[in-house]
Amino acid sequence: MAKKKEKLSENKKKKDTEELKVEPPTVEEKPPAEEAEAEAETAAEAKEELSFEELGLDPRLIRALHKKNIHKPTPIQHVAIPLILEGKDVVARAKTGSGKTFAYLLPLLQKLFSESSPSKNNQAPSAFILVPTRELCQQVYSEVMWLIELCRVQLKVVQLTSSMSNSDLRTALAGPPDILVSTPACVHTCLSNGVLLPKAVQDSLSIIVLDEADLLLSYGYEDDLKALTTHVPRRCQCLLMSATSSADVEKLKKLILHNPYILTLPEVGDLKDDIIPKNVQQFYISCSARDKLVHILALLKLELVQKKVLIFTNAIDTSYRLKLFFEQFGIKSAVLNAELPQNSRLHILEEFNAGLFDYLIATDDSQRQDKENFDSGSNTERKKSRKHPKQKLDTEFGVVRGIDFKNVHTVINFEMPQSAAGYVHRIGRTGRAYNTGASVSLVSPEENDIFDDIKSVMGESDSKDSNFIAPFPLLSKNAVEALRYRAEDVARSVTKVAVRESRAQDLRNEILNSEKLKAHFQDNPKDLDLLKHDKVLSKKEPAPHLRDVPEYLLDATTQEASKIVKLARAAMGNSNTARRKGFRGKFRKSRDPLKTFSAEASKRPPKGGMKRKGLESNAGHKRKRKQPAD
Ligand SMILES: Nc1ncnc2c1ncn2[C@@H]1O[C@H](COP(=O)(O)OP(=O)(O)OP(=O)(O)O)[C@@H](O)[C@H]1O
């Protein structure tokens, strides 16, 4: 007890710790608002340093988390877990990557551990976890499965997808499972065609989660949710998780929750607020659209950014162009987009998360929707687009929102997103939980308007705004010029026809893969080794001399910058030790090599007198002082 009090006063002194606001539910005899809020905030602070044990989590779950190297709750988990264990309805709004999934999953599982008994005669699942996309279904399903397996408990979990036939759905729900992970549309289908009986749902359902709630309505699930809520019993505990707060979240709250506790990171409110984790550093490089290829080549080939890298494009053709371009330099990458079949997409995500390749080029089709959602606050347009889906593109596919790309250190915007909301959600794919991350946006003059919008949302003052987007300091003009000749030569060989053929070929391969994957996954759900998604598409053999960057091309400054990136990995908490200890407090700008280093400012002569030749050598010599990166 004394120890806890000590922790409480220590915590109160902390100025730079993240605070969570807890709004208690409206009750008849509520204390004056201010008092209530103060009490709630103190409670949140007191919990800040508590361990999973102190939060009352089942030892089996704690052991499972430890096996996955998770030792300390994130702030949202501190506050949400005890409330959910107490049976409260909760609305949790916290930044992307803040650990919202475990914040509901851990207490949900713990409740089911104690509920499940042989005498229980449920005719429908006890828990529904509803998410907006199939990718998220798969992601949540995998998280539940490994937790259950490590805990060695007998709980049955199923996920539903819209491609399942009635008989598939019936088989999946026979039993019935304890937990159902699904989009609202699939549950609605099951209710309408009698696969799920409303009475059974009313009798069995004890907990329902709406994950990524800010997306559920905008993906057009309002009718599905309305149809479901009429069967949700009053005693059922309802949880709503969201990265942002929007009119849609408010609507959902009213639709399904009863007197909930509202857990909010103070800055989460709307887009203007800070929803990018503080441990992500944001940079930009200004260059012409044509020069983007040579710049990205320099970033990757000279190792000026840390792996794994998630690269965003706005068009699928651009992603294939990049892939073909990279191939010629021996850089293996995979593409991910809404055109690929679902099984392939899931497999690509799994392989990338498992670390089988380091570069993933994603085409972010959902950004148009993000823009509509944030700009208008209405979901009419999206409803329309769900009814009339774009040809070939899978509307349930969400490449950005909510997907947990594991250990992505760097996000590169090869093309700028079309809205500030799109930017926020792209960048949110790095710096997840206690990890650090960086983003580099390549901005052409044509993209200056959108970049200005983004900057005005992120904050324009280096000293005041934690989301300030700084010029990328590690890439010198010399380094770019040194690679220009090679890059332009290869870029010319990646013609429109080559891109079109590769895209068609990849799609054909992936459709075949998808069929094989379907069968294979049924028997070996964990097997990641079946098919490769980062295979070479180009018909042209890469020239051996392009694979490695010869030393004479690298000036001392660039070599130093590359070393700095490696050093930064350790300094910024990417080592296991640092991650275990937690990141906050370590990440001071003054000590951060990425912020203090400037590729152009260094005057150190090349070590050992580096040889330089021809055009490339001349470019390498022209070094100017104190210029921005480009
Ligand atoms: N307590 C923890 N310590 C370390 N890592 C954690 C912890 N909790 C969750 N994580 C990891 O952090 C990552 C992000 O978590 P999660 O996907 O739940 O974030 P999120 O808040 O749901 O983000 P988004 O809004 O983008 O969906 C995951 O890889 C998860 O395994």
Side-chain angles (χ1 to χ4, degrees), residues 72 77 96-101 212 402 404 406 429 432-433:
K72 179 178 150 220
Q77 292 163 0
T96 60
S98 56
K100 291 188 289 297
T101 314
E212 301 290 337
D404 186 28
K406 303 261 185 218
R429 299 312 99 198
R432 318 270 298 161

Side-chain angles (χ1 to χ4, degrees), residues 29-79:
E29 286 180 32
K30 207 171 124 185
E34 253 177 50
E35 205 183 306
E37 191 155 292
E39 273 176 17
E41 273 191 41
T42 312
E45 279 186 35
K47 282 174 189 160
E48 197 132 312
E49 292 298 318
L50 298 187
S51 62
F52 282 120
E53 284 85 349
E54 287 167 302
L55 296 181
L57 212 57
D58 189 295
R60 287 169 290 184
L61 286 166
I62 297 172
R63 270 198 302 274
L65 290 172
H66 285 186
K67 279 191 189 145
K68 291 281 180 177
N69 218 5
I70 294 179
H71 300 272
K72 179 178 150 220
T74 62
I76 190 69
Q77 292 163 0
H78 275 121
V79 193

Side-chain angles (χ1 to χ4, degrees), residues 405-423:
F405 294 97
K406 303 261 185 218
N407 303 324
V408 169
H409 191 278
T410 309
V411 168
I412 297 181
N413 284 316
F414 183 74
E415 292 172 312
M416 291 306 282
Q418 285 155 20
S419 70
Y423 178 86

Side-chain angles (χ1 to χ4, degrees), residues 54-174:
E54 287 167 302
L55 296 181
L57 212 57
D58 189 295
R60 287 169 290 184
L61 286 166
I62 297 172
R63 270 198 302 274
L65 290 172
H66 285 186
K67 279 191 189 145
K68 291 281 180 177
N69 218 5
I70 294 179
H71 300 272
K72 179 178 150 220
T74 62
I76 190 69
Q77 292 163 0
H78 275 121
V79 193
I81 289 174
L83 286 172
I84 298 173
L85 285 175
E86 276 175 39
K88 307 282 194 263
D89 277 13
V90 165
V91 173
R93 292 183 296 213
K95 296 175 191 190
T96 60
S98 56
K100 291 188 289 297
T101 314
F102 286 158
Y104 72 78
L105 215 47
L106 298 170
L108 179 148
L109 284 174
Q110 179 155 334
K111 293 183 131 223
L112 295 186
F113 289 177
S114 56
E115 263 180 32
S116 67
S117 75
S119 59
K120 213 176 72 170
N121 196 17
N122 279 354
Q123 299 297 313
S126 305
F128 283 178
I129 301 176
L130 303 181
V131 295
T133 67
R134 298 185 208 180
E135 274 69 18
L136 280 166
C137 271
Q138 174 64 29
Q139 189 175 296
V140 172
Y141 176 79
S142 308
E143 301 275 283
V144 185
M145 287 309 288
W146 72 250
L147 275 169
I148 286 177
E149 274 170 29
L150 289 176
C151 290
R152 303 210 184 123
V153 286
Q154 295 277 333
L155 285 178
K156 190 176 163 200
V157 190
V158 297
Q159 59 167 326
L160 304 184
T161 63
S162 56
S163 56
M164 288 166 96
S165 67
N166 266 1
S167 74
D168 288 343
L169 293 171
R170 222 173 274 283
T171 313
L173 289 170

Side-chain angles (χ1 to χ4, degrees), residues 354-504:
L356 269 66
F357 51 89
D358 289 323
Y359 303 107
L360 182 63
I361 312 167
T363 303
D364 173 14
D365 186 57
S366 60
Q367 55 174 306
R368 185 182 56 80
Q369 296 180 340
D370 273 326
K371 185 170 165 51
E372 283 160 5
N373 195 31
F374 278 97
D375 285 355
S376 66
S378 109
N379 58 25
T380 333
E381 284 303 313
R382 284 210 212 171
K383 266 192 248 162
K384 267 189 218 157
S385 72
R386 192 165 172 262
K387 277 184 192 151
H388 306 286
K390 269 194 199 170
Q391 217 186 355
K392 284 203 262 166
L393 296 188
D394 186 338
T395 47
E396 276 188 26
F397 175 62
V399 90
V400 177
R401 293 294 312 267
I403 302 290
D404 186 28
F405 294 97
K406 303 261 185 218
N407 303 324
V408 169
H409 191 278
T410 309
V411 168
I412 297 181
N413 284 316
F414 183 74
E415 292 172 312
M416 291 306 282
Q418 285 155 20
S419 70
Y423 178 86
V424 165
H425 288 293
R426 283 181 177 188
I427 307 301
R429 299 312 99 198
T430 180
R432 318 270 298 161
Y434 292 115
N435 289 332
T436 58
S439 72
V440 184
S441 296
L442 301 179
V443 187
S444 68
E446 299 76 38
E447 293 166 319
N448 275 342
D449 286 351
I450 183 64
F451 189 50
D452 286 344
D453 283 358
I454 293 169
K455 279 193 296 189
S456 68
V457 169
M458 295 299 137
E460 312 222 17
S461 156
D462 189 4
S463 52
K464 277 194 231 138
D465 299 304
S466 63
N467 278 326
F468 177 72
I469 310 175
F472 186 70
L474 301 187
L475 182 58
S476 67
K477 279 192 172 171
N478 291 339
V480 173
E481 292 312 319
L483 291 173
R484 182 177 292 283
Y485 177 75
R486 288 156 182 250
E488 290 186 347
D489 198 31
V490 170
R492 269 192 296 276
S493 73
V494 184
T495 58
K496 274 191 184 155
V497 176
V499 168
R500 213 170 40 230
E501 281 179 1
S502 304
R503 180 171 168 180

